[in-house]
Amino acid sequence: MTEIVVDARGHRCPVPSLKLQKALESAAPGSTVTLLADDPLARIDVPHLIGSGPHALASVDEADGVLSFRVVTGARPG
């Protein structure tokens, strides 16, 4: 299983979600992708993005103003 970290700190909406989406498109099913973001709107945008696809939002944490979204990839669309 692969683990990918996407650092989108310093970027504003919609860049964190776009960076996450690009990483998810290239990740193998069953991989873990962690997005680091400091834009408060990511708390809304990321769950919305994940809710529309085969991926699962495993956890959301916040420390020192940085949000960490851990996503487990699902099957790629056939």
Side-chain angles (χ1 to χ4, degrees):
M1 181 166 58
T2 305
E3 183 158 349
I4 300 167
V5 176
V6 177
D7 189 348
R9 290 176 288 185
H11 295 280
R12 296 292 169 231
C13 177
V15 174
S17 292
L18 293 173
K19 286 180 171 263
L20 175 60
Q21 185 173 22
K22 184 174 182 177
L24 292 171
E25 288 171 357
S26 64
S31 298
T32 300
V33 179
T34 300
L35 171 69
L36 304 175
D38 54 7
D39 182 359
L41 289 178
R43 189 179 289 281
I44 297 167
D45 292 345
V46 171
H48 180 71
L49 171 69
I50 299 306
S52 65
H55 313 298
L57 185 58
S59 66
V60 179
D61 297 305
E62 184 173 3
D64 298 324
V66 177
L67 293 161
S68 176
F69 300 89
R70 187 170 168 266
V71 180
V72 178
T73 61
R76 290 189 183 129

